Amino acid sequence: MSRDIDDISNIVLKPRRIQILRLLLSQGTMRISDLRRALNAPASSIYYDVEILRANGLIIRDGPYVKITSKGRTIIEKIEGLVSSDQETEDSSNRTEELTNILLMRPLTINMYRLGPNALLIYSMVIIVLGLVTAFIQNYELLLLVFVEGVNAMPIGITIISILAYMGIALFIYKYLLGSEIVDIKLLSGILTSLIPLSLYPTIMTLLTPWLPPYPLSIIDALLKALLPLISLIMLATVLSMSSGKPMEYSLLFETLLLLIPSVIIYIILFK
């Protein structure tokens, strides 16, 4: 019963998810593209909501088709009398959700996800390896979330250790803090995908260094060191949220505690 209540709370906070369940309850099996047209929402938003509902066992997805489960049917029937169907409230909530969708760059992550897990795994590995090769050539080392110019005191292989630590912490959050069990190629490819922004730092700096004077280059360097890790963490939170069915805020909180704050502390200790 407590699990059902958790599911209800998770859905009620997102009116569009209730609309999806209502449509599936009345129409039966539907294509995701049909849901998008019926709700007049971006494909990335519908895909994200579908994945959250699927992870919570409220719908089943079979390729482009989705249908409601008996659990989802029970949930929507329970909340029909509790949730207001006021159109103005739903429209306002959906506009807020769309703004959140853009700020959290979900379209980027979700559109990459739509390549399929195998293609995405290969694509991610190629970009990450190219970034690491560039980092090695240009003498950059990765300290968990921040690339720095090589320092003699760095342990050998610290970049590889940092990547393995990133993936290990992501899996730890997924399994033990978010309480999910299934680890598959889709999850692993998603975690690797979230590393792409971070791995672009050496390439970007290598391309810009010959053309820019030191002062503007130092500003760009600081911006990249701040923004690229944040983009990676936001993408990771989207991946973990879609895979676990838990609110994205949980993933962001755990990532901040276990990845972002330790990276900042290490950087301050070594370079300030």
Side-chain angles (χ1 to χ4, degrees):
M1 178 62 71
S2 61
R3 177 61 176 169
D4 287 344
I5 293 174
D6 289 342
D7 288 334
I8 290 174
S9 299
N10 190 40
I11 298 168
V12 168
L13 293 174
K14 309 294 181 183
R16 189 172 51 234
R17 295 177 193 166
I18 298 176
Q19 293 175 313
I20 290 173
L21 290 177
R22 283 173 176 160
L23 280 172
L24 294 176
L25 186 63
S26 63
Q27 301 295 325
T29 301
M30 294 182 67
R31 295 175 65 94
I32 296 177
S33 57
D34 293 333
L35 285 172
R36 180 184 63 80
R37 283 191 290 270
L39 299 176
N40 192 29
S44 58
S45 298
I46 296 297
Y47 185 94
Y48 180 77
D49 286 335
V50 163
E51 287 298 304
I52 294 294
L53 293 171
R54 179 200 58 78
N56 280 288
L58 304 183
I59 65 174
I60 295 173
R61 183 180 175 197
D62 183 10
Y65 295 94
V66 289
K67 65 178 180 179
I68 195 168
T69 64
S70 57
K71 180 179 179 181
R73 187 182 300 272
T74 300
I75 294 295
I76 194 62
E77 288 173 350
K78 283 183 178 180
I79 65 175
E80 279 291 4
L82 302 176
V83 180
S84 170
S85 58
D86 181 66
Q87 187 63 42
E88 184 177 348
T89 301
E90 289 188 354
D91 290 345
S92 175
S93 178
N94 285 340
R95 285 194 295 269
T96 301
E97 178 64 18
E98 295 316 320
L99 178 60
T100 302
N101 190 55
I102 294 171
L103 292 176
L104 295 180
M105 295 171 291
R106 284 178 189 157
L108 174 63
T109 306
I110 289 170
N111 286 328
M112 295 183 71
Y113 242 112
R114 295 170 71 179
L115 293 172
N118 293 322
L120 187 57
L121 185 66
I122 295 172
Y123 177 71
S124 301
M125 289 183 67
V126 168
I127 294 178
I128 292 169
V129 168
L130 288 175
L132 294 182
V133 170
T134 304
F136 177 78
I137 294 173
Q138 299 298 323
N139 197 31
Y140 288 111
E141 298 284 2
L142 180 62
L143 293 178
L144 200 53
L145 287 179
V146 181
F147 272 104
V148 297
E149 291 190 46
V151 179
N152 292 333
M154 297 285 185
I156 296 176
I158 186 63
T159 296
I160 301 300
I161 292 172
S162 294
I163 290 177
L164 293 176
Y166 178 95
M167 296 188 66
I169 291 171
L171 290 172
F172 175 81
I173 292 172
Y174 175 77
K175 290 196 68 175
Y176 297 104
L177 300 182
L178 298 179
S180 300
E181 295 295 333
I182 300 175
V183 176
D184 54 17
I185 189 171
K186 184 176 181 180
L187 173 66
L188 295 177
S189 64
I191 293 174
L192 277 175
T193 299
S194 71
L195 274 168
I196 289 177
L198 192 59
S199 68
L200 292 177
Y201 173 87
T203 303
I204 295 173
M205 290 302 297
T206 299
L207 293 174
L208 294 180
T209 298
W211 303 99
L212 295 177
Y215 181 69
L217 187 65
S218 65
I219 295 176
I220 292 174
D221 176 69
L223 288 174
L224 290 176
K225 284 179 177 176
L227 293 177
L228 293 180
L230 290 178
I231 294 173
S232 284
L233 291 180
I234 289 172
M235 291 179 67
L236 177 61
T238 301
V239 169
L240 296 181
S241 177
M242 289 193 300
S243 298
S244 67
K246 301 297 190 301
M248 190 173 173
E249 293 83 355
Y250 293 2
S251 299
L252 284 173
L253 172 62
F254 296 138
E255 290 168 21
T256 299
L257 293 175
L258 299 178
L259 285 169
L260 183 59
I261 292 177
S263 295
V264 172
I265 292 174
I266 292 172
Y267 185 81
I268 290 175
I269 290 175
L270 291 178
F271 296 97
K272 300 298 180 182

